[in-house]
Amino acid sequence: MITLMAAGCTDSEKPNNGGTPVASRPSAAASSMTFDEAYQQVPIDGVGDLKINWDLPQEADVDEVLAARRGLTHAYWRSEATDWTPIMTLAPFLFTERYYQQVLAGLGSSGAGDPLIGPIWVKLMGVEKLGPDQARVTFCTDIGWWHEASNTNPQIRKDRANLESLVVENVQTGDGERRWLADQRWNPDADRKAKYGADCTKWAQHQP
């Protein structure tokens, strides 16, 4: 069972405006695509030679987890794709304005030089409330068989159990609605190793 837990946030990039963060979404607002249409285009189970296998409890379909899953999928999708044009088109619908401008806006559309492919397995480890409109969603990702496309004889990674977290925020988007969007990604998330590390290592033993 996934339990929402209260926790502190030590991220130095956390907005410090004392109020509810509001995301200005000029790219999303200018698009004829709706948020729901954008969500449907996110390849949540992988795309091409990247397969994403999710291990989720039944109660994991809460908005915070869905937002984190979309953000995580977007990150691995970028690693697999040689053309980022369709990927970056969806980014304003998945991430806060701050994250989009600081991290994604300058990446362009050229894509990955040597794509990372192969199956990955992702398990939801926990959801921690950081405030009324912010949560930290932690995943264990088994990247043992994730490798460069140019590597025709990949060997299993020794450090395959990867703990990573996404901080998601409930913000007002350009269409006037409030939605959970990804705002930060901790990869790896060393702060969660003491809590989840042993379970993650034990779980991350998959075979393709």
Side-chain angles (χ1 to χ4, degrees):
M1 177 179 293
I2 298 301
T3 303
L4 292 176
M5 302 176 61
C9 181
T10 58
D11 179 20
S12 60
E13 293 185 356
K14 180 177 181 289
N16 189 24
N17 56 14
T20 301
V22 177
S24 171
R25 313 299 295 162
S27 298
S31 173
S32 60
M33 188 186 308
T34 67
F35 276 84
D36 288 339
E37 289 170 343
Y39 295 162
Q40 292 174 8
Q41 294 188 31
V42 178
I44 204 74
D45 295 318
V47 59
D49 292 319
L50 171 70
K51 304 301 180 185
I52 305 176
N53 305 279
W54 298 93
D55 185 344
L56 305 166
Q58 289 184 347
E59 64 270 26
D61 59 346
V62 296
D63 290 340
E64 296 96 316
V65 174
L66 292 172
R69 290 180 65 196
R70 287 190 287 262
L72 189 69
T73 298
H74 192 273
Y76 282 102
W77 188 13
R78 293 198 311 271
S79 298
E80 181 272 345
T82 55
D83 178 10
W84 282 353
T85 302
I87 301 175
M88 300 312 291
T89 299
L90 296 181
F93 296 91
L94 310 180
F95 299 93
T96 62
E97 176 69 12
R98 184 189 66 169
Y99 187 90
Y100 178 78
Q101 293 296 339
Q102 293 184 356
V103 179
L104 300 176
L107 294 181
S109 60
S110 58
D114 191 359
L116 288 164
I117 62 173
I120 62 173
W121 292 261
V122 185
K123 181 178 182 179
L124 176 63
M125 303 301 289
V127 181
E128 298 166 283
K129 294 291 289 185
L130 304 178
D133 295 307
Q134 191 179 58
R136 186 173 191 156
V137 183
T138 301
F139 298 101
C140 172
T141 306
D142 182 354
I143 56 173
W145 297 98
W146 191 51
H147 62 278
E148 294 84 358
S150 61
N151 185 353
T152 58
N153 186 29
Q155 302 298 312
I156 191 168
R157 292 173 180 254
K158 294 181 179 180
D159 55 346
R160 63 187 301 176
N162 186 52
L163 275 175
E164 52 188 314
S165 297
L166 283 90
V167 174
V168 295
E169 291 191 359
N170 187 16
V171 299
Q172 182 176 321
T173 52
D175 60 357
E177 300 294 330
R178 296 196 66 83
R179 291 184 174 84
W180 287 92
L181 302 177
D183 183 62
Q184 302 160 37
R185 183 187 179 205
W186 298 74
N187 181 38
D189 189 348
D191 290 346
R192 293 299 174 269
K193 186 174 182 179
K195 185 173 184 178
Y196 299 122
D199 288 341
C200 182
T201 299
K202 182 179 179 180
W203 176 82
Q205 301 292 330
H206 299 89
Q207 295 292 329

